[in-house]
Amino acid sequence: RRCRDFGTCAGESGDPRTEGTSSVNVRVFRELIEGKGRLERGSCNRASLHVDSVSSLMTVPLIQGTLRHAHKSSLRTKESAVAADREGDHKNRAAGAAFAASVLPRVHECDPGAAATVVDETKLWAIGTDFARVKGALEGAYGCLGITCEDVGGLIDAEAA
């Protein structure tokens, strides 16, 4: 699902960026297969390189989820937030907070200030979110996380997301 939102699908058919399996998933499976082969050949030390790569790649959908829900929250006005809350619409904020919480330990390890920004902007009780602050904080940690902007992609249809 995230690959369609962020244009990071492997492109087995149709539009190469919004159709098919996530390119991150394809890469994770490739790393797992290569790592397994190294283990079977007794190259345990070299297999650990694949563990690091898989760990980095698995961060991508968590960041994509954080960004998607931060963007949706950024569109909330005080009036729309109050109206949505009256109707019990806490799903987006809860999902955003959960995605953020899942990636925060790794972001904090790279940049405690970036992690603090993400925490401040994705709190459950926030009326809105400063999407640019969340995006900037996360992007600043990409290098340390072992991922790139190309890995994460960009929100394609912000209104539909």
Side-chain angles (χ1 to χ4, degrees):
R1 173 182 177 131
R2 299 279 168 254
C3 77
R4 289 188 300 272
D5 293 339
F6 284 83
T8 56
C9 299
E12 288 123 16
S13 65
D15 184 343
R17 305 304 286 172
T18 59
E19 295 290 328
T21 303
S22 163
S23 61
V24 167
N25 288 352
V26 170
R27 290 168 58 199
V28 164
F29 279 105
R30 187 179 319 129
E31 291 289 335
L32 291 171
I33 290 166
E34 290 175 14
K36 177 183 176 225
R38 288 184 191 268
L39 289 171
E40 290 172 342
R41 291 188 302 276
S43 299
C44 296
N45 289 342
R46 306 248 322 144
S48 68
L49 300 172
H50 298 286
V51 172
D52 295 341
S53 181
V54 168
S55 181
S56 291
L57 289 169
M58 290 176 66
T59 304
V60 171
L62 304 176
I63 288 176
Q64 290 172 332
T66 302
L67 290 171
R68 178 176 179 267
H69 291 285
H71 184 268
K72 286 177 78 169
S73 291
S74 75
L75 302 175
R76 291 168 59 106
T77 63
K78 185 173 184 173
E79 294 77 26
S80 70
V82 169
D85 289 348
R86 263 193 223 117
E87 295 176 20
D89 182 26
H90 303 293
K91 180 182 173 186
N92 180 64
R93 287 185 295 161
F99 274 111
S102 70
V103 77
L104 279 171
R106 294 204 67 210
V107 173
H108 184 271
E109 188 176 304
C110 292
D111 181 348
T117 296
V118 174
V119 167
D120 288 343
E121 294 295 334
T122 60
K123 290 180 180 170
L124 280 174
W125 54 87
I127 296 288
T129 298
D130 186 337
F131 175 70
R133 286 190 74 215
V134 174
K135 185 174 183 275
L138 291 172
E139 286 178 347
Y142 285 0
C144 174
L145 293 169
I147 61 174
T148 66
C149 286
E150 184 178 351
D151 293 330
V152 175
L155 202 51
I156 292 179
D157 185 358
E159 293 301 315

